[in-house]
Amino acid sequence: LVQLLRLLGQLLLLLVQILLLAQPLLLAQLLLLLAQPLLLLVQPLLLLAQLLLLLVQLLLLLVQLLLLLVQLLLLLVQLLLLLVQLLRLLGQLLRLLGQLLLLPRTLR
């Protein structure tokens, strides 16, 4: 990184000298030389940004998965509550059937 900064400093010094001489071809070549190290610095940053974006997407998918699991658990709880209600109703039905079976004996 220090060498890169030193190189950029030398290139800027050359740029000033070229501007003083006003030679457009050399100026264009110098700008190309300046762009290459900057491109080398930007490419890893872009890759890092892409990696962070992928990590954020992965986290969002994990959150969605957790939400789906919570919904599944809520549905299971609702199903258990319905089963409990069904068992209560069956118990009441059996109790009523028992009372109906005993009713003719009490009338006799």
Side-chain angles (χ1 to χ4, degrees), residues 6-41:
R6 190 175 296 143
L7 178 64
L8 285 175
Q10 291 172 353
L11 288 175
L12 285 175
L13 184 62
L14 280 176
L15 178 62
V16 171
Q17 291 174 352
I18 290 172
L19 284 175
L20 291 175
L21 295 175
Q23 295 181 355
L25 181 62
L26 289 177
L27 180 61
Q29 288 177 344
L30 182 63
L31 288 176
L32 280 176
L33 286 176
L34 279 173
Q36 288 173 353
L38 291 177
L39 184 62
L40 290 176
L41 283 175

Side-chain angles (χ1 to χ4, degrees), residues 40-69:
L40 290 176
L41 283 175
V42 169
Q43 282 178 342
L45 292 177
L46 285 176
L47 289 175
L48 185 61
Q50 287 177 340
L51 180 63
L52 288 175
L53 182 62
L54 287 175
L55 286 175
V56 168
Q57 289 175 341
L58 180 63
L59 285 175
L60 286 175
L61 286 175
L62 287 175
V63 167
Q64 287 178 341
L65 180 63
L66 285 175
L67 286 175
L68 287 175
L69 287 175

